[in-house]
């Protein structure tokens, strides 16, 4: 599975921890920035990551900002993107099974990095249920 990750300044430190964790787990992951804690604009990073997923270049994207909200709003504007802001492991599991979410958004100022890593692990490992009712609803989104 090819993963692309991005964050703004609010999520920079958090991104580095998740990146390190993913690499240790053996995932192929590319970092689209930001590369310092200097203030930057989250829509720029969100759009780059979202386009890389919607084009099929990457299978999944992970986006981090202070709340995760700006990143999710921006990513969901890109066709084919189903970005889910998760602050708990139940939602991470459910959004993969029900929504086949392809981008995970996290709020670095909202939840701790250990919980974020659990959320990432569950979200990456959970398959879409492929049940007819869930696929039908996903089709309605497009
Ligand atoms: C940056 O201060 C902050 O607004 C951003 O990280 C994010 O929370 C936006 O939704």
């Amino acid at each position: 599975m090819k993963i692309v990750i991005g964050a703004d300044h609010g999520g920079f430190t958090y991104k580095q921890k998740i990146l390190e964790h993913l690499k240790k787990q053996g995932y192929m992951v590319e970092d689209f920035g930001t590369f310092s804690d200097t203030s930057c604009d989250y829509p720029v990073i969100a759009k780059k990551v979202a386009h890389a997923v919607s084009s099929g270049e990457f299978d999944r994207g992970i986006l981090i900002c202070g709340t995760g909200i700006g990143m999710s709003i921006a990513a969901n504007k890109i066709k084919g993107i189903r970005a889910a802001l998760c602050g708990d492991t139940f939602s991470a599991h459910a959004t993969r099974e029900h929504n086949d979410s392809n981008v995970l958004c996290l709020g670095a100022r909202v939840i701790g990095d250990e919980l974020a890593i659990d959320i990432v692990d569950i979200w990456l490992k959970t398959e879409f249920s492929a049940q007819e009712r869930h696929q039908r609803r996903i089709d309605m989104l497009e």
Side-chain angles (χ1 to χ4, degrees), residues 8-10 42 65-71 109:
D8 73 352
H9 55 288
Y42 64 80
C65 66
T67 58
I69 297 170
M71 286 296 197
R109 295 174 183 157

Side-chain angles (χ1 to χ4, degrees), residues 1 28 55:
M1 184 192 300
M28 286 198 307
S55 69

Side-chain angles (χ1 to χ4, degrees), residues 3-33:
I3 302 163
V4 57
I5 192 166
D8 73 352
H9 55 288
F12 169 68
T13 310
Y14 218 79
K15 169 170 70 66
Q16 301 314 110
K17 287 182 185 164
I18 292 173
L19 198 52
E20 193 182 322
H21 172 76
L22 291 176
K23 284 181 178 169
K24 267 192 207 148
Q25 302 286 307
Y27 284 109
M28 286 198 307
V29 51
E30 196 158 328
D31 185 1
F32 275 19

Side-chain angles (χ1 to χ4, degrees), residues 81-136:
I81 292 302
R82 294 176 299 281
L85 171 58
C86 294
D88 64 276
T89 53
F90 175 81
S91 299
H93 191 267
T95 189
R96 284 290 311 132
E97 278 197 339
H98 294 202
N99 316 123
D100 196 16
S101 53
N102 48 14
V103 172
L104 173 67
C105 299
L106 297 163
R109 295 174 183 157
V110 183
I111 59 166
D113 53 15
E114 295 297 327
L115 173 56
I117 284 170
D118 282 351
I119 289 172
V120 166
D121 284 342
I122 288 168
W123 185 75
L124 288 174
K125 284 176 188 146
T126 307
E127 294 295 329
F128 174 48
S129 76
Q131 287 176 3
E132 190 278 332
R133 72 181 190 284
H134 294 312
Q135 187 59 59
R136 184 179 72 237

